Amino acid sequence: MVLDIVIMAAGKGTRMKSKLPKVLHKLAGRALLQHVVDTAAALKPRSLITVTGHGGEHVKAACASMHKALPDLAFQFVTQEPQLGTGHAVQQAVPVLGNEGITLVLNGDVPLIEAASLQALVQACAGQRLALLTVEYGDPTGYGRIVRAGDAVQAIVEHKDATPEQRLLTEWYSGVLAAPTAQLKRWLGQLQNHNSQKEYYLTDIVQMAVQDGTGCVAVKTTDGVQVAGVNSPVQLQELERQYQKRQAYALMEQGVRLTDAARFDLRGSLQCGQDVSIDVGCVFEGRVSLGDDVQIGAHCHIANCTIAAGAVIHPFTHIDGEKLGVSVGAGALVGPFARLRPGAQLGNEVHIGNFVEVKNSTLAHGAKANHLAYLGDATVGERVNYGAGSITANYDGANKHRTVIEADVHIGSNCVLVAPVTIGAGGTVGGGSTITKNTPAGALSIARGKQATLAGWKRPVKTKD
Ligand code: UD1
Ligand code: CA
C-alpha cells in the first residue's frame, strides 16, 4: 500500500534558546530532522512532506543537502504560518497528499524513532484504521493521555485539558500515528480549536475515528529513547548520552573493547574488526573503519579514515580525512599528538610521531617521521627517515607543489624541502639544509652556512659604569 510521510517541523523550539531552528540541532553529529528523514527513507515512502514554519528557509536548505544523499526520496515542503497546533500543521500537507494509501505522521524533534516501530504502526493501520504509537514508560506529565474504554482506545486528552483522574493515566501518546489517508483528510477538515490552548489538535482525530466506525488501535512501546522529544539543551544532551550508550553497547556486543562506554562518542559509522580496543575520550566522526587488533589511545579524534590491522594510534591524535580520506597501513604507529589531514596515506609499518602533520602525502612501507615535522603534498618512499623539525615548503603563496623523497633517503633535522623538488633514492640531506634543487641518488646534500671556528676568540667583558 502506498505510504506518504508527513514530518511536523514548524515549531519554534523556544526552550532551546537558540537562533538555529530546533530540528537542525545535532544529535550524534546529525540534525534531529536528518535522523527522522533517514529513518523515514528506510520505509520507502512515495513522498516525504516536511511542514516548516519557524526558520523554514534554514530547514529547507538543510533538506536540500539531505536530498542529495537520498536522491530517490521525493521531498516536499509545506509552510505552516502561523503555527496553530499539530492538527493545523498536518492540514497544510493536505493539498500535496494523495487520496489513497496510508499517511504516517512523524515529529521532527523525536529523532531516535526506529524504522521497525514505524513499520509495525503502518501494519497496524493497514489502510483500514487509525494507529497510534503509545508509550507506557516514565513520567507522562505534559503528554496527551490515552483514554480507553476496556481495551478499546477512545480518545487522546491533552495534559492541559485533562481531568485529575485522566492525569493519572500512565499510557501516553508519542506524537506518531498512521492513518488511512482518505479518512485523515476528512477528519482534518472537521477539527476545531475549542480547548485550553486554542489549538487545532491532531489528537482530536482519535475520537472522530472511533465515532465514524473507522476505529483506532494503539501500538505500545516501552522504549523511552525512541519516543523521546527534544525541547531543551538538557534533553538534547540526555538523549545524546543515551544514543551513545546504545552505540557503545552495540560495538561491545560485536567484541570491541571500550575502556568506558560513557566516554565514547560516535557521530557517524564505525566498522571494527576483531580485537579492537578503544581507550577513553575518543570521538569518531564520518566513516571510520578499524581493522583487526587496532588500538586507539585515549582522547583521539578520528574522522573519515581507514586504519588497517594492528595499527596503534597513540593518545591525543587528530585524524580527519574529510572528503579525500586518510588511510593508515597495517602495523603503523601514529602519535601521540599527531595530525593526519585529508589525503594522508600511510603504508604498512609507517611511524608518525608527536607533533607531526601529514597532508595529501603518501608514505611507503616503513617510512618514519617521528618528531615535530610537516609533510604536505609529498611522496615518500620506503624506509625513508624524515628528521625532527623538517618540513616540505609546498606552497609558494599561489600554488601547491609536490615533493618526492625516494626510497631509503635520510632527511636530517630541521630541513626545508622547497617544492617542487626530488630527493634521489638513498640520498642523505644534512641537518639544517634548505633544499631548492633536486638531489642525486646516493649522495649527501648539504645546503647551509659552513661552520667556522675562530681560535682564541675572547668573549666581551662588561665595562664598568
Ligand atoms: C503533542 C501531542 C501530545 C503528545 C506529544 C508527544 C497534540 C495536540 N498533542 O503534544 O498528545 O503526547 O505531542 O510529544 O498533537 N508543530 C508544528 N506546528 C504546530 C505545533 C507543533 O509543526 O503548530 C510540531 C512541533 O514542531 C513538534 C511537533 O509538532 O515537532 C509536536 O509539537 P509539540 O508542541 O511538541 O507537541 P504538543 O502539542 O505539546
Ligand atoms: Ca504544543
Side-chain angles (χ1 to χ4, degrees), residues 10-33:
K12 191 167 181 186
T14 313
R15 280 185 280 160
M16 291 303 292
K17 300 189 177 162
S18 168
K19 294 188 288 294
L20 194 66
K22 177 166 76 176
V23 293
L24 298 187
H25 280 268
K26 286 186 174 170
L27 183 131
R30 270 188 298 161
L32 299 178
L33 185 59

Side-chain angles (χ1 to χ4, degrees), residues 341-353:
R341 293 176 50 205
Q345 292 181 288
L346 314 187
N348 296 349
E349 317 283 335
V350 162
H351 293 186
I352 296 295

Side-chain angles (χ1 to χ4, degrees), residues 8 10-11 80 83-86 89 107 109 143-144 158 173-174 201 203:
M8 297 187 291
Q80 186 199 16
Q83 287 86 37
L84 302 178
T86 51
N107 274 351
D109 59 0
Y143 293 107
E158 289 307 303
Y173 172 50
S174 68
Y201 290 166
T203 44

Side-chain angles (χ1 to χ4, degrees), residues 13 24 155 158 165 309 316 321 346 426 429 462:
L24 298 187
E158 289 307 303
E165 295 75 51
F316 298 101
L346 314 187
V429 174
K462 192 169 168 77

Side-chain angles (χ1 to χ4, degrees), residues 180-200:
T181 302
Q183 280 92 324
L184 176 66
K185 286 183 162 184
R186 198 172 68 237
W187 298 327
L188 288 171
Q190 296 166 20
L191 286 180
Q192 311 251 298
N193 64 348
H194 302 151
N195 53 57
S196 64
Q197 303 187 77
K198 301 274 176 290
E199 283 182 9
Y200 294 90

Side-chain angles (χ1 to χ4, degrees), residues 101-188:
I102 297 175
T103 298
L104 178 66
V105 178
L106 304 178
N107 274 351
D109 59 0
V110 179
L112 299 183
I113 188 80
E114 289 173 15
S117 306
L118 298 179
Q119 238 126 24
L121 197 65
V122 168
Q123 259 170 31
C125 165
Q128 303 292 315
R129 59 194 79 81
L130 181 58
L132 309 174
L133 184 64
T134 68
V135 194
E136 192 103 58
Y137 172 87
D139 179 7
T141 304
Y143 293 107
R145 303 301 205 289
I146 306 299
V147 180
R148 291 178 184 254
D151 257 358
V153 174
Q154 295 295 303
I156 298 176
V157 181
E158 289 307 303
H159 181 91
K160 285 184 179 147
D161 302 294
T163 63
E165 295 75 51
Q166 287 171 332
R167 287 187 181 180
L168 297 175
L169 294 169
T170 52
E171 186 186 5
W172 51 276
Y173 172 50
S174 68
V176 176
L177 62 76
T181 302
Q183 280 92 324
L184 176 66
K185 286 183 162 184
R186 198 172 68 237
W187 298 327
L188 288 171

Side-chain angles (χ1 to χ4, degrees), residues 72-112:
D72 297 338
L73 193 59
F75 276 82
Q76 287 187 288
F77 300 95
V78 294
T79 306
Q80 186 199 16
E81 193 62 60
Q83 287 86 37
L84 302 178
T86 51
H88 182 249
V90 182
Q91 279 172 354
Q92 311 311 305
V94 165
V96 296
L97 271 177
N99 288 315
E100 76 295 5
I102 297 175
T103 298
L104 178 66
V105 178
L106 304 178
N107 274 351
D109 59 0
V110 179
L112 299 183

